[in-house]
């Protein structure tokens, strides 16, 4: 039976009595041989969103998946759905496993659990955030899971909006996907179809309108390193009942600004932090650094627990918060010092903003913006490892600025490649027997500063020493670490500096009268770009966290009795993606070198990828770092 025919038959099979249903679906569903790269096959995924006359809504979901192997078991063995128990209720209508021989195993009640998400277990003020976990028993190869549940929302009158984003594809093949929105005649909403999704079927019956989107035979998406998020590459529907961004901002502002407090403990803390500081910039910096580093981050996606923050005084007391709570505390402390600041919603997942659809669901993080003539000050209250003034996420993106009057779209500050630079500076003295001693300094900025702090800041002295010993050994086999030092990584107002001294017994390789010497490779994994071009070609764009620059420079002092026989040629190449250059110069018994690679773009298209790959491979090619010395006659 063809897959297309089966996609139409499955809804009919599901309506049969249980014994016939199990027998029919096991007999007629495709097997792993038809999907050799898949972990599972989604036979059917239906979601129906129904909005009533009062604006309350309910989503019914039906998911049927055939599991092929262990990967499929891991992906679908536990179905997890998150909800806000203040306004939402989850009900499981059906959950069962159908084994390969047709045996049906109902999921017992003790395998359907509503729990606190693990990352929130020690943050009790987010007790409203709950997670349904349904664990399917007896799961083995060629088993089928059948899951049907409802999520019902009954919110206060002023909160009865609906919005969402629905992908019609995934990392496993999908035989049939269907999504419907049903609402009373005259109730409006906006939607947009992305990445080739077809127009809906529209039915009008009994004073209601029903929109249905269907996709059959969605192929399995093969992931690539550093690719865009799923919603950017598969057909997708985005929808919202808000009519404008101004309305979204007005609704969010009505929830956010009542939590701003400037008296009591907030006022006392602000005065304590700013004591003796007369310049406004200094006070902004001091308040921000305290919130970013001394108030624990709770990794709750914006919106998962609602949009109303807790009061600033409660967040101050607890010393922990999610994005909205750390944002409300930062804005309150600044306001207590007479400094106005506003919340800004951003997307940290690299999904592009669809400006035609005003929806708070397009954002998952929160920044704080301090308005200033010329260039505003952008602050990320979650940036506990970033240098002051640097945005680790939301950098250069379209965002929603929220004020008490409403909202408007704007753009965050964007950093350049020069502001995200990793510089390695080497000074090496080579001996006649091939041994060498030297010093390496690493000077990161922007993105590389962030990665360095993330890796090193919280390590014990013993683990830090081990990291430097491993780094020294990457320069050449048998290298001995003679000493190291690093800047105070806890201080986010100063740039990082790492430095170590080393001695290696076999830096130069002797072959008769010749000695081969290479500029040492990068010894720190966090000092390299995170998007190296390992694939020969790409189907999807390559996303870099920021525009980036790598620099390696320094000098090698050659031993007496040797002269330079070969130096790599001077090179310079520029294309639409970036830049590469290198230069080697001899100054007496010393060779100086400077090489630079720059990636100017955050997004590299598949057509541009060969240019990026070529530049980076030139920068890292061993031949471009090889020196040949010859013993003087």
């Amino acid at each position: 039976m063809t897959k297309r025919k089966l996609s139409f038959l499955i809804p009919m099979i599901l309506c049969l009595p249980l014994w016939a249903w199990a027998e029919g679906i096991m007999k007629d569903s495709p097997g792993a041989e038809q999907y050799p790269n898949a972990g599972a096959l989604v036979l059917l995924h239906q979601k129906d969103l129904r909005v009533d006359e009062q604006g309350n809504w309910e989503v019914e979901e039906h998911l049927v998946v055939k599991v092929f192997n262990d990967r499929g078991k891991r992906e679908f063995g536990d179905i997890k759905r998150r909800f806000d128990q203040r306004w939402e209720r989850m009900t499981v209508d059906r959950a069962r496993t159908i084994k390969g021989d047709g045996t049906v195993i109902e999921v017992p009640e003790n395998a359907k659990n509503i729990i606190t998400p693990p990352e929130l277990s020690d943050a009790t003020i987010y007790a409203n955030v709950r997670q349904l976990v349904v664990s399917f028993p007896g799961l083995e190869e060629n088993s089928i899971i059948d899951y049907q549940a409802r999520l019902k929302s009954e919110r206060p009158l002023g909160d009865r909006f609906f919005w969402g984003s629905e992908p019609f594809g995934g990392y496993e093949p999908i035989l049939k996907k269907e999504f419907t929105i049903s609402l009373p005649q005259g109730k409006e909403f906006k939607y947009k179809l992305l990445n080739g999704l077809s127009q809906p079927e529209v039915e009008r019956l009994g004073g209601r309108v029903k929109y249905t989107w269907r996709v059959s035979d969605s192929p399995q998406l093969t992931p690539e390193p550093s690719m865009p998020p799923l919603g950017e590459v598969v057909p997708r529907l985005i929808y919202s009942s808000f009519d404008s961004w101004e309305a979204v901002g007005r609704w969010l502002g009505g929830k956010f600004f009542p939590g701003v407090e400037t008296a009591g403990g907030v006022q006392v803390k602000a005065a304590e932090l700013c004591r003796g500081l007369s310049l406004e910039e200094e006070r902004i910096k001091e308040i921000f650094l305290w919130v970013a580093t001394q108030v624990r981050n709770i990794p709750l996606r914006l919106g998962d627990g609602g949009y109303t923050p807790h009061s600033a005084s409660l967040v101050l007391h607890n010393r922990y918060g999610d994005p909205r709570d750390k944002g409300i505390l930062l804005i309150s402390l600044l306001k207590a010092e007479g400094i106005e600041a506003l919340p800004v919603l951003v997307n940290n997942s690299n999904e592009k903003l669809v400006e035609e659809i005003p929806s708070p669901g397009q954002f998952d993080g929160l920044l704080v913006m301090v308005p200033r003539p010329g260039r505003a000050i952008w602050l990320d209250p979650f940036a506990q490892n970033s240098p002051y003034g640097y945005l680790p996420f939301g950098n250069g993106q379209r965002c929603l600025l929220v004020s008490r009057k409403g909202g408007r779209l704007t753009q965050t500050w964007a950093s350049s490649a020069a502001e995200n630079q990793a510089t390695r500076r080497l000074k090496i003295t080579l001996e006649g027997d091939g041994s060498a001693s030297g010093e390496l300094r690493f000077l990161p900025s922007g993105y590389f500063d962030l990665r360095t702090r993330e890796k090193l800041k919280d390590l014990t002295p013993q683990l830090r020493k081990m990291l430097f010993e491993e780094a020294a050994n990457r320069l050449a086999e048998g290298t001995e670490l003679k000493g190291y030092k690093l800047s105070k990584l806890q201080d986010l107002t100063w740039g990082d500096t790492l430095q170590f001294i080393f001695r290696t017994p076999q830096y130069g390789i002797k072959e008769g009268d010749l000695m081969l010497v290479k500029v040492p490779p990068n010894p720190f994994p966090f000092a390299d770009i995170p998007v190296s071009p390992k694939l020969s070609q790409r189907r999807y764009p390559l996303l870099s966290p920021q525009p980036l620059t790598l620099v390696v420079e320094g000098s090698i002092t050659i031993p007496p009795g040797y002269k330079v026989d070969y130096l790599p040629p001077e090179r310079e190449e520029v294309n639409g993606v970036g830049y590469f250059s290198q230069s080697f110069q001899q100054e007496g018994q010393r060779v100086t070198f400077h090489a630079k690679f720059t990636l100017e773009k955050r997004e590299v298209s598949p057509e541009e990828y060969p240019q990026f790959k070529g530049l980076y491979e030139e920068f890292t090619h061993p031949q471009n770092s090889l020196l040949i010395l010859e013993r003087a006659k």
Side-chain angles (χ1 to χ4, degrees):
M1 182 178 294
T2 66
K3 290 180 281 185
R4 184 167 295 278
K5 286 182 179 178
L6 182 62
S7 69
F8 289 108
L9 282 176
I10 281 181
M12 299 171 61
I13 293 173
L14 295 178
C15 296
L16 295 173
L18 178 59
W19 64 269
W21 179 88
E23 182 178 296
I25 202 166
M26 293 308 305
K27 177 182 176 182
D28 294 320
S29 60
E33 65 279 358
Q34 293 173 263
Y35 297 91
N37 297 314
L41 170 64
V42 178
L43 299 173
L44 177 70
H45 193 191
Q46 290 178 317
K47 292 176 77 174
D48 299 307
L49 168 62
R50 181 181 176 87
V51 183
D52 67 19
E53 287 73 11
Q54 289 75 42
N56 294 310
W57 52 262
E58 181 179 63
V59 176
E60 184 173 350
E61 180 182 15
H62 190 189
L63 178 65
V64 183
V65 180
K66 187 170 187 178
V67 172
F68 292 147
N69 50 40
D70 287 342
R71 191 181 85 214
K73 295 178 197 176
R74 289 192 298 271
E75 287 180 295
F76 296 101
D78 294 312
I79 299 293
K80 300 175 182 178
R81 298 291 184 264
R82 190 168 289 196
F83 64 99
D84 186 338
Q85 70 174 3
R86 292 173 302 180
W87 325 113
E88 298 171 345
R89 296 291 178 268
M90 284 286 313
T91 304
V92 178
D93 295 322
R94 186 167 66 215
R96 54 196 179 188
T97 301
I98 300 93
K99 301 183 72 172
D101 61 2
T103 303
V104 177
I105 306 174
E106 298 289 341
V107 176
E109 290 303 312
N110 62 7
K112 306 170 191 172
N113 295 295
I114 293 178
I115 65 170
T116 297
E119 69 272 20
L120 304 179
S121 59
D122 59 348
T124 56
I125 63 173
Y126 304 112
N128 61 298
V129 181
R130 305 292 278 169
Q131 182 169 277
L132 169 70
V133 181
V134 178
S135 300
F136 289 83
L139 207 56
E140 58 189 22
E141 292 182 9
N142 293 316
S143 293
I144 290 175
I145 68 163
D146 178 26
Y147 165 84
Q148 191 163 357
R150 285 171 290 133
L151 174 64
K152 186 173 181 60
S153 171
E154 294 183 345
R155 296 174 181 269
L157 187 60
D159 291 347
R160 293 177 185 175
F161 301 96
F162 63 91
W163 62 81
S165 176
E166 193 66 32
F168 286 76
Y171 296 109
E172 300 294 357
I174 302 173
L175 208 58
K176 184 177 181 63
K177 173 73 180 276
E178 182 176 288
F179 182 77
T180 66
I181 297 177
S182 172
L183 66 172
Q185 187 92 34
K187 189 168 183 62
E188 300 293 332
F189 76 104
K190 296 175 180 287
Y191 69 85
K192 185 171 183 181
L193 313 176
L194 303 171
N195 306 322
L197 184 62
S198 299
Q199 291 291 337
E201 298 175 12
V202 182
E203 302 174 70
R204 291 176 171 83
L205 184 65
R208 296 184 64 82
V209 185
K210 182 179 180 180
Y211 300 80
T212 302
W213 291 267
R214 292 188 182 94
V215 172
S216 298
D217 300 322
S218 295
Q220 176 183 7
L221 187 71
T222 301
E224 294 178 349
S226 305
M227 68 179 286
L230 183 68
E232 289 292 304
V233 295
V234 300
R236 177 165 66 108
L237 166 70
I238 183 169
Y239 59 92
S240 173
S241 62
F242 281 98
D243 61 6
S244 68
W245 286 112
E246 191 276 334
V248 174
R250 188 169 58 250
W251 179 73
L252 290 169
K255 295 185 167 300
F256 191 88
F257 290 109
V260 175
E261 297 177 332
T262 57
V266 172
Q267 184 179 36
V268 170
K269 189 63 186 180
E272 174 192 321
L273 292 171
C274 298
R275 187 174 294 118
L277 302 178
S278 58
L279 296 179
E280 189 172 272
E281 174 72 20
E282 292 179 331
R283 289 182 286 146
I284 294 171
K285 182 186 297 185
E286 197 64 30
I287 290 172
F288 163 75
L289 291 173
W290 186 83
V291 172
T293 63
Q294 301 305 310
V295 179
R296 180 164 56 93
N297 290 347
I298 301 298
L300 181 62
R301 184 185 186 274
L302 182 67
D304 279 0
Y307 291 90
T308 303
H310 295 89
S311 66
S313 56
L314 179 60
V315 182
L316 178 64
H317 172 76
N318 288 334
R319 293 290 203 276
Y320 65 75
D322 68 354
R324 62 200 161 129
D325 283 348
K326 292 192 72 172
I328 199 75
L329 179 58
L330 177 55
I331 288 173
S332 295
L333 289 168
L334 290 170
K335 189 172 178 61
E337 284 293 307
I339 302 168
E340 289 296 323
L342 298 171
V344 179
L345 275 64
V346 293
N347 189 307
N348 295 327
S349 68
N350 287 316
E351 252 185 21
K352 294 184 177 69
L353 183 69
V354 182
E355 297 193 19
E356 301 94 318
I357 308 299
S359 163
Q362 294 202 62
F363 307 103
D364 58 11
L366 186 140
L367 305 177
V368 170
M369 189 268 279
V370 181
R372 283 291 177 274
R375 174 171 151 176
I377 299 175
W378 297 89
L379 305 170
D380 183 349
F382 254 48
Q384 58 187 2
N385 291 312
S386 297
Y388 171 72
Y390 179 77
L391 293 181
F393 300 104
N395 192 314
Q397 292 186 12
R398 296 291 284 169
C399 58
L400 179 65
L401 178 66
V402 177
S403 70
R404 296 177 186 274
K405 297 179 180 180
R408 65 178 177 87
L409 297 179
T410 184
Q411 184 150 326
T412 62
W413 164 76
S415 62
S416 67
E419 293 169 301
N420 299 286
Q421 182 165 305
T423 299
R424 284 180 285 133
R425 194 167 291 160
L426 288 146
K427 186 177 181 181
I428 299 172
T429 300
L430 181 63
E431 306 294 341
D433 61 358
S435 64
S437 58
E439 173 187 284
L440 182 145
R441 297 185 69 200
F442 174 56
L443 308 170
S445 66
Y447 172 76
F448 294 104
D449 184 298
L450 166 65
R451 292 186 70 187
T452 301
R453 293 179 200 269
E454 287 178 336
K455 181 65 178 178
L456 289 171
K457 183 167 70 72
D458 298 322
L459 291 183
T460 64
Q462 182 180 10
L463 290 176
R464 284 183 180 177
K465 183 180 179 183
M466 289 174 59
L467 184 143
F468 277 97
E469 288 174 338
E470 291 172 359
N473 202 53
R474 290 190 187 101
L475 298 180
E477 189 175 347
T479 299
E480 179 185 2
L481 179 69
K482 305 297 289 185
Y484 72 95
K485 61 182 179 179
L486 62 167
S487 58
K488 188 177 180 181
L489 300 179
Q490 286 76 14
D491 188 349
L492 300 184
T493 63
W494 291 90
D496 297 339
T497 302
L498 310 184
Q499 181 178 356
F500 67 85
I501 301 170
F502 61 90
R503 179 159 184 82
T504 180
Q506 198 175 9
Y507 177 60
I509 307 300
K510 299 180 70 174
E511 295 184 4
D513 289 337
L514 300 180
M515 186 185 297
L516 308 182
V517 179
K518 288 184 179 180
V519 175
N522 170 33
F524 297 118
F526 51 83
D528 203 353
I529 62 173
V531 289
S532 58
K534 297 177 181 178
L535 301 179
S536 59
Q537 58 185 6
R538 293 183 66 96
R539 181 175 180 179
Y540 305 109
L542 178 144
L543 296 186
S544 173
Q546 308 289 349
L548 303 170
T549 295
L550 302 178
V551 173
V552 56
E553 60 188 15
S555 66
I556 301 173
T557 300
I558 63 178
Y562 277 86
K563 63 180 182 178
V564 175
D565 183 64
Y566 170 81
L567 292 178
E570 190 164 314
R571 299 281 303 279
E572 184 172 18
E573 185 175 342
V574 182
N575 59 35
V577 172
Y579 169 83
F580 160 69
S581 69
Q582 71 173 25
S583 174
F584 285 78
Q585 301 289 332
Q586 183 178 2
E587 301 172 358
Q589 289 297 104
R590 195 165 67 106
V591 174
T592 60
F593 54 88
H594 180 93
K596 182 177 183 179
F597 166 81
T598 296
L599 175 61
E600 295 284 2
K601 305 182 71 172
R602 288 193 66 213
E603 181 172 327
V604 178
S605 70
E607 294 74 24
E608 295 170 320
Y609 177 70
Q611 299 178 52
F612 163 65
K613 182 177 175 67
L615 286 180
Y616 184 74
E617 289 179 348
E618 285 291 327
F619 177 73
T620 56
H621 198 290
Q623 185 174 332
N624 289 329
S625 63
L626 176 65
L627 290 70
I628 301 178
L629 309 181
E630 183 180 17
R631 191 190 304 275
K633 301 295 176 125

